[in-house]
Amino acid sequence: MRYYFELTDEHYNDLGAFIPDGSNRQVTINKARQWMKDNGFKKAVLAINSMRTGNLLDAIDIELD
């Protein structure tokens, strides 16, 4: 299954992050964390969407220490 990812704030407003499409969620979470660190965000939500259906499959809260 292929996914596309959006990094958003707590209200699901797009943060404009480029998170590459792919099939491995953990690699994508790590990339999102790095983007957040580089851009000064402490909290965000990673929305995981199906490329086939366009449906939202999961939303993962990410917080940096």
Side-chain angles (χ1 to χ4, degrees):
M1 182 169 247
R2 300 278 301 169
Y3 308 101
Y4 70 93
F5 305 94
E6 296 173 292
L7 196 59
T8 68
D9 65 13
E10 301 88 41
H11 305 289
Y12 298 101
N13 296 311
D14 187 10
L15 296 177
F18 173 71
I19 307 296
D21 299 339
S23 60
N24 188 313
R25 289 182 184 202
Q26 190 56 53
V27 169
T28 302
I29 291 168
N30 294 341
K31 289 180 182 184
R33 286 181 180 276
Q34 186 61 51
W35 186 93
M36 289 168 61
K37 185 177 178 182
D38 293 346
N39 291 279
F41 286 90
K42 297 288 184 193
K43 293 175 74 174
V45 177
L46 181 65
I48 302 173
N49 304 285
S50 169
M51 289 186 85
R52 187 170 52 92
T53 64
N55 293 339
L56 176 66
L57 301 174
D58 200 0
I60 300 171
D61 294 318
I62 301 174
E63 282 192 55
L64 299 181
D65 297 329

